[in-house]
Amino acid sequence: MRRLVSAGVIAITSLALATPALTSTAAATPGTADTAVVAAKVKAGKFKIKKSAAGVQPGISKLVLTSKGLRGSGKVKYSITGDNGVAFKGKAKVKKGKAKYLVPALGTGHYKVKAKFKGRKGKTKFEVYDSNLTLSTTALTCDISDYKARTSLSGSVKYKGGPATSGYVDVYQNGNAAGGSSSPYLLTFASVNTATGTFDFGTKICDRVITGGTGSALRSGLPAGNYVFQAYYTKDAGYDDYFSSNLISVTVVP
């Protein structure tokens, strides 16, 4: 009886030792089912979205969302919603595993981004800062013959929720600010009062429109007629962080 029990134990032990060997062989050569599981996990996974900056100024389109780690061709679909009630959708084509989406100009608020591509998802968020460039008026009359009849212009700058403590306000014809201070359409500029966040051109806008501005396209002054200008605030001479005012209508009279 003891021998039978011993023989049974030996048989069971041998079987138990043989089982891991079979398991090891199966793991070394994944089958079709294993490949399908891996593919399913990739498809149901997530991808990262990298932002070119944490936020952007209002009315400026320069924030880029880059979706990374994508496989295959097609377009990434973006859904963006803001706490200010704004909601819209966009698409970006995948190239070399990435998709870059340029966010359009938006108003102040906090925005959430959801993206989809071939069953995979990505998400991020960004802020459009609470900044504003306020003008005393958006309609100037510039009298060529009577300087006393020229309209003055002043204003204030809110930068990321508070009064600006540095920087400049530049004025460009038709808002052509490309190139910053080297733009041929730069009319003139004013420094921001570091204590109050205000600025004051006086009648300088009209004076420069008539007698000549800083940029090469405006150095000879402008004749009687109707023109459009726009003011831009920049916190320093680098011009990498800026936003604009409403359009300024300028009427030059003889």
Side-chain angles (χ1 to χ4, degrees):
M1 188 69 179
R2 288 178 179 274
R3 288 184 179 180
L4 289 174
V5 172
S6 298
V9 171
I10 293 172
I12 293 171
T13 303
S14 299
L15 180 60
L17 291 173
T19 302
L22 292 173
T23 304
S24 176
T25 303
T29 309
T32 305
D34 297 320
T35 303
V37 170
V38 173
K41 287 183 178 180
V42 171
K43 184 176 181 181
K46 299 178 180 180
F47 56 84
K48 293 183 178 181
I49 301 177
K50 182 180 179 181
K51 300 177 291 186
S52 59
V56 67
Q57 296 294 352
I60 301 297
S61 178
K62 62 181 293 188
L63 180 66
V64 178
L65 305 177
T66 303
S67 296
K68 306 176 71 176
L70 306 176
R71 297 182 180 181
S73 60
K75 293 183 178 181
V76 176
K77 296 180 180 180
Y78 296 90
S79 178
I80 301 177
T81 56
D83 58 4
N84 52 11
V86 172
F88 62 96
K89 299 180 184 297
K91 297 179 181 180
K93 189 175 182 180
V94 176
K95 295 181 180 180
K96 297 182 179 180
K98 299 179 181 180
K100 294 186 177 182
Y101 178 69
L102 177 63
V103 178
L106 298 169
T108 296
H110 292 82
Y111 295 81
K112 293 182 179 180
V113 181
K114 293 182 179 180
K116 294 181 180 180
F117 179 71
K118 295 186 180 298
R120 299 175 65 197
K121 298 179 180 180
K123 65 179 181 179
T124 188
K125 57 185 178 180
F126 64 88
E127 179 182 2
V128 176
Y129 302 122
D130 181 15
S131 301
N132 190 35
L133 176 51
T134 303
L135 302 175
S136 57
T137 181
T138 56
L140 305 182
T141 298
C142 303
D143 195 309
I144 295 176
S145 58
D146 185 3
Y147 71 91
K148 293 182 179 180
R150 297 174 185 176
T151 308
S152 296
L153 181 67
S154 59
S156 60
V157 179
K158 179 195 284 188
Y159 180 74
K160 294 184 178 180
T165 57
S166 64
Y168 309 91
V169 175
D170 300 340
V171 178
Y172 298 87
Q173 186 177 18
N174 297 320
N176 291 326
S181 59
S182 62
S183 168
Y185 299 98
L186 173 62
L187 180 68
T188 187
F189 72 93
S191 297
V192 172
N193 186 311
T194 58
T196 62
T198 60
F199 59 92
D200 190 354
F201 283 100
T203 61
K204 189 177 180 181
I205 301 296
C206 282
D207 297 343
R208 290 299 181 87
V209 166
I210 294 169
T211 63
T214 302
S216 59
L218 301 172
R219 284 177 187 161
S220 298
L222 298 173
N226 297 311
Y227 305 93
V228 174
F229 287 83
Q230 192 168 24
Y232 280 77
Y233 167 77
T234 177
K235 67 176 182 178
D236 53 39
Y239 221 82
D240 56 349
D241 189 14
Y242 60 91
F243 52 92
S244 63
S245 70
N246 291 328
L247 296 177
I248 304 168
S249 174
V250 175
T251 301
V252 179
V253 297

